[in-house]
Amino acid sequence: MDAKQWGVYVHIPFCRQKCFYCDFPSFAGRERYWEDYTGALCREIAVRGSYYRQLWGRPATIYLGGGTPSVLPAKLMAQLLTKLRQVFLADDKAEEFTVECNPGTVDEAYLAMLWEQGVNRLSFGVQSFDDELLRRIGRIHSGQQAAEAVEMAKKAGFTNLSLDLMYGLPGQTLAQLQASVKQALALSPKHISIYGLQLEEGTAFYRMQELGKLNLPEDEVAEAMYDYMTEYLPSQGYERYEISNFAQPGFASRHNLSYWQDVPYLGLGAAAHSYLDGQRWAALADLDHYMEAIRENRIPVEPEEPATAAIAMEEFCFLALRTARGISREKFRQKFGRELDDLYGTVMKELFAKKLLADDGRCIFLTSQGMKYGNLVFEKFLLDEQDF
Ligand code: SF4
């Protein structure tokens, strides 16, 4: 029997080209690192991974994200997956084993290899099916390639597929978003994630916006896009189980849910985040520093400041509030030895009155209005020192 529920995240910090909106820790043009990085990662899996495997048993979920994991050549990806299986799964299977794929980087043979290696879920970064829009945001694939990649994945054996879409993109119209959502649904994915464009410092779009060269949709148009997908997807059988995530019944991402439900996870690879023993850790983001640490048998992570009780409580609430289930009073009590209502009673009352928050007796959770204006709710869950 598994001793503990936990997950494994593996970071592949490479992309073919940097999308104009992206501030994730990923690098284009670092092909010369691919082989050595994979070797370092396999070593980290063998050492740190084995340690936690012995301590906690088989992880419920394994997730390869990035970056673009599927940018790794088949030989290196197979080497990495083999090591993950050996260390974490032995002859068993992970309940959920996901690889993020860019549709412009896979073919039939590659997808068949992933399936044979025990991967049972793929998450495709599609963003839109509109070629002009894809080009404008720096994606390397067309809408047609995305549809073909999904069909190839099904042919390889995958049934659990997720597609990412984006809204609020430069020049994007409501009609374009609606067309992309419908094209996505026509491919019958089990899961859809939809993200609004965020302008992050350091990205090409951020610079363009500063120069007044980014033609973003008007606020009312972006809001209409949001309203459309939050109403349309549930009407098509996709339950909204988190602010940005929709799934057919039974296909919510277990791995992502664990982030929001206070389940520990081990992050492996440069820039990977871990949440272990109640503390959050970030691995070294610089590739050379990461690989040097592995070569020298050092743990390639730097502990973040230990979280104060107030920060731990705030984080717990922010993450749980993102999910449809919300914050469980019982879990809060078990974890912190305090009553949620004692700390947040006044705030909760105010948010109930504004119909941003609801209560079923056991949990408090965001209403659909609350999900739309999530930040207004989250900021109310910040604690003052005097609350203690
Ligand atoms: S493929 Fe994904 S990780 Fe890579 S640059 Fe684009 S959005 Fe960022």
Side-chain angles (χ1 to χ4, degrees):
M1 198 178 77
D2 294 324
K4 189 176 178 85
Q5 195 197 339
W6 65 295
V8 172
Y9 173 78
V10 180
H11 191 68
I12 309 297
F14 306 114
C15 289
R16 183 79 56 76
Q17 134 184 329
K18 197 78 185 164
C19 303
F20 302 152
Y21 54 86
C22 177
D23 76 334
F24 295 152
S26 69
F27 305 96
R30 300 280 181 96
E31 287 76 1
R32 65 188 184 283
Y33 281 82
W34 288 358
E35 190 159 355
D36 288 349
Y37 181 81
T38 307
L41 199 43
C42 286
R43 184 137 186 234
E44 192 188 7
I45 293 165
V47 178
R48 290 185 71 221
S50 300
Y51 173 80
Y52 284 98
R53 173 70 168 93
Q54 278 176 17
L55 203 63
W56 289 343
R58 179 175 62 96
T61 61
I62 301 178
Y63 192 103
L64 268 72
T68 306
S70 57
V71 86
L72 284 183
K75 185 171 150 254
L76 295 180
M77 177 56 87
Q79 180 189 336
L80 177 59
L81 293 172
T82 302
K83 180 57 76 183
L84 285 167
R85 279 194 299 114
Q86 278 171 356
V87 169
F88 292 116
L89 304 175
D91 292 332
D92 214 346
K93 285 190 163 57
E95 286 164 43
E96 191 182 274
F97 193 160
T98 304
V99 174
E100 286 181 353
C101 294
N102 183 311
T105 61
V106 293
D107 58 20
E108 274 185 34
Y110 198 94
L111 295 168
M113 178 272 294
L114 295 181
W115 177 252
E116 278 155 24
Q117 286 280 355
V119 176
N120 56 21
R121 183 174 184 273
L122 298 180
S123 174
F124 283 106
V126 173
Q127 319 314 358
S128 171
F129 284 90
D130 186 290
D131 289 345
E132 169 55 24
L133 200 50
L134 287 169
R135 194 191 53 73
R136 210 179 298 147
I137 64 174
R139 300 292 297 180
I140 60 167
H141 58 86
S142 65
Q144 177 69 23
Q145 270 177 301
E148 283 168 7
V150 171
E151 294 304 342
M152 285 191 291
K154 288 182 188 167
K155 216 168 139 196
F158 290 96
T159 52
N160 193 354
L161 299 172
S162 176
L163 306 185
D164 285 359
L165 295 174
M166 291 182 79
Y167 72 97
L169 297 169
Q172 189 181 29
T173 63
L174 177 60
Q176 278 175 331
L177 175 84
Q178 289 170 331
S180 280
V181 170
K182 286 184 178 154
Q183 276 172 281
L185 292 190
L187 296 166
S188 310
K190 298 288 192 235
H191 185 283
I192 295 190
S193 302
I194 302 204
Y195 301 102
L197 175 70
Q198 305 281 341
L199 289 179
E200 307 289 356
E201 235 177 306
T203 62
F205 274 176
Y206 189 88
R207 290 189 290 280
M208 285 169 73
Q209 174 73 353
E210 283 194 319
L211 296 170
K213 290 187 175 168
L214 203 60
N215 170 28
L216 293 176
E218 299 291 328
D219 287 351
E220 306 81 71
V221 176
E223 190 172 339
M225 291 178 183
Y226 176 94
D227 290 341
Y228 168 75
M229 69 206 184
T230 54
E231 282 159 28
Y232 186 67
L233 287 172
S235 79
Q236 301 301 304
Y238 291 82
E239 287 170 7
R240 187 182 196 185
Y241 70 96
E242 193 266 349
I243 289 181
S244 309
N245 287 287
F246 302 78
Q248 291 181 0
F251 287 94
S253 162
R254 283 200 60 181
H255 186 82
N256 288 342
L257 269 175
S258 68
Y259 291 148
W260 303 310
Q261 292 179 338
D262 203 42
V263 173
Y265 50 89
L266 170 66
L268 298 161
H273 286 254
S274 300
Y275 177 51
L276 302 165
D277 302 320
Q279 291 298 325
R280 298 190 186 276
W281 304 68
L284 301 167
D286 181 280
L287 297 182
D288 290 309
H289 293 168
Y290 167 77
M291 293 194 297
E292 187 184 315
I294 297 290
R295 263 198 312 276
E296 294 172 358
N297 292 322
R298 283 186 282 118
I299 299 179
V301 296
E302 282 171 358
E304 294 180 3
E305 284 288 300
T308 62
I311 291 174
M313 286 179 194
E314 289 165 1
E315 247 170 30
F316 181 90
C317 292
F318 296 155
L319 292 169
L321 276 174
R322 295 190 61 90
T323 64
R325 182 156 184 266
I327 308 172
S328 152
R329 287 187 168 88
E330 177 59 27
K331 274 195 167 178
F332 191 91
R333 186 181 305 123
Q334 278 174 8
K335 188 167 172 72
F336 300 110
R338 300 281 303 261
E339 293 297 327
L340 186 70
D341 294 71
D342 289 349
L343 281 164
Y344 290 114
T346 314
V347 160
M348 281 156 52
K349 233 190 217 163
E350 181 191 332
L351 295 168
F352 292 148
K354 289 183 177 162
K355 302 207 177 338
L356 294 171
L357 206 59
D359 186 356
D360 67 5
R362 291 169 52 207
C363 298
I364 59 159
F365 52 91
L366 296 178
T367 59
S368 56
Q369 276 301 93
M371 286 211 170
K372 188 167 178 178
Y373 302 109
N375 287 343
L376 292 182
V377 178
F378 296 149
E379 69 188 25
K380 298 280 182 193
F381 278 78
L382 290 168
L383 289 165
D384 284 331
E385 286 305 322
Q386 70 211 34
D387 292 320
F388 286 85

